[in-house]
Amino acid sequence: MSWKVTLPCTRQEAEALHEEDEWLATMDPVPSIVADEVEAFNDAKWRIEVYFAKKPDSSIVALIQSRLPSAAEAKPILAKLPDEDWVVLSQQGLKPVRAGRFYIHTDANKGKVPADTISIHIEASRAFGTGGHETTSGCLTMLDKLKRQGKRYELIADIGTGTGLLAFAACHLWPRAYLTASDIDPVSVDVTAENARLNGYLLGARQGEIALCTASGTDHPLIRQRAPYDLLIANILAGPLIELAPSLAQILGEGGTLMVAGLLDSQACAVVSAYRKLGFRLQRRQNTGDWPCLIFVKRTRYGWQRPLRADGRTSQPPGDFGTW
């Protein structure tokens, strides 16, 4: 049997817990930790679940609680679990996602893949983007619509790639394109490489391959050298989208398509305003729940009329995927 200890915490406390910490390394076997938000957009309302191969004694539970100052007065919840893989248990609530022609699944929820879909295997992992959130599924649907409209792209970049899901979808839709995928978090880049191998997508710099790099926004030689792009995808957060507007404008070719997502409906006006000021035209807006996906087109006369002040960087910290 296996055991689970659940405690409330803050987001900062959850992110400070790592399996490599010395206090965890002394335990044999080393327990696994899963952190999750309890209330969306509330960093004070998180929880951790610590999984053990055998029942932890009170001193171990007290040690964990001591590392969570906000849980000092909380009563730990100790639960006995069936003898199953905790990763599978943590993913039982996930369902496969169908978005456009794509079918996104994990090992635990694959089920029967519909015959008319493209299957992509993405495990719930250390990076954002398993397809289950409306902002990601909305992007997949929009990419599918662009393809059905006959859009053709030769140079594509996915800025803030997370697990690589949107880059994989674009690679399937436009298999002869040169595709770049980047993220501010090196863990996400590693996860994307793992997922690419898992799904049979090639990594590299040639047509039909995905070139990976770790970058803050567009601040990387690989991203700059491959510009101008004719399709940019940025499924990040509203703040970084606004902050990166001049930089994204700088690397997108005239007449190019920009897809942005990761913003709430209440944030859309501010994002649209930031890009309109730079000469972009909002071509389409698709809402999936409270999460819009926006398609902009860069005006062909843009560039020589307006100076750009862009350093390519964002202040978004690595590992901050929002509250998906």
Side-chain angles (χ1 to χ4, degrees), residues 182-252:
S182 70
D183 203 282
I184 194 172
D185 193 340
V187 171
S188 289
V189 175
D190 291 341
V191 169
T192 297
E194 294 169 9
N195 288 333
R197 288 188 285 269
L198 181 65
N199 287 279
Y201 292 99
L202 299 177
L203 300 179
R206 296 177 297 184
Q207 281 182 303
E209 298 178 340
I210 301 172
L212 292 175
C213 66
T214 301
S216 174
T218 64
D219 186 27
H220 193 280
L222 175 67
I223 298 173
R224 296 287 185 178
Q225 290 165 7
R226 290 188 151 202
Y229 299 91
D230 43 23
L231 173 62
L232 285 179
I233 304 165
N235 180 23
I236 42 179
L237 298 170
L241 283 173
I242 293 172
E243 189 175 23
L244 287 173
S247 303
L248 294 177
Q250 199 171 58
I251 64 171
L252 184 65

Side-chain angles (χ1 to χ4, degrees), residues 143-208:
L143 286 171
D144 184 61
K145 286 182 179 179
L146 291 173
K147 178 64 176 181
R148 293 182 189 279
Q149 291 171 357
K151 300 292 186 182
R152 298 178 62 183
Y153 302 110
E154 296 180 358
L155 286 165
I156 303 172
D158 179 16
I159 306 297
T161 195
T163 61
L165 176 55
L166 298 181
F168 303 154
C171 191
H172 174 83
L173 295 172
W174 296 282
R176 295 189 60 80
Y178 292 90
L179 205 145
T180 306
S182 70
D183 203 282
I184 194 172
D185 193 340
V187 171
S188 289
V189 175
D190 291 341
V191 169
T192 297
E194 294 169 9
N195 288 333
R197 288 188 285 269
L198 181 65
N199 287 279
Y201 292 99
L202 299 177
L203 300 179
R206 296 177 297 184
Q207 281 182 303

Side-chain angles (χ1 to χ4, degrees), residues 134-135 138-139 142-143 146 231-235 237-238 241-242 248 256-276 280-288 290-297:
E134 287 128 327
T135 189
C139 287
M142 188 66 82
L143 286 171
L146 291 173
L231 173 62
L232 285 179
I233 304 165
N235 180 23
L237 298 170
L241 283 173
I242 293 172
L248 294 177
T257 301
L258 170 66
M259 173 187 294
V260 303
L263 58 144
L264 284 163
D265 185 63
S266 59
Q267 300 168 325
C269 288
V271 173
V272 170
S273 176
Y275 284 88
R276 278 181 173 163
F280 283 83
R281 174 173 58 86
L282 179 64
Q283 186 179 66
R284 175 177 294 180
R285 171 175 174 164
Q286 171 184 286
N287 278 31
T288 308
D290 294 327
W291 302 86
C293 179
L294 308 178
I295 296 290
F296 292 96
V297 174

Side-chain angles (χ1 to χ4, degrees), residues 58-76:
S58 59
S59 64
I60 295 296
V61 176
L63 177 60
I64 296 171
Q65 192 164 9
S66 70
R67 300 183 68 86
L68 306 171
S70 67
E73 304 299 322
K75 183 178 180 180

Side-chain angles (χ1 to χ4, degrees), residues 69-92:
S70 67
E73 304 299 322
K75 183 178 180 180
I77 300 173
L78 180 63
K80 191 176 185 180
L81 302 174
D83 190 14
E84 299 180 54
D85 189 336
W86 72 266
V87 175
V88 174
L89 290 173
S90 69
Q91 293 180 0
Q92 284 180 345

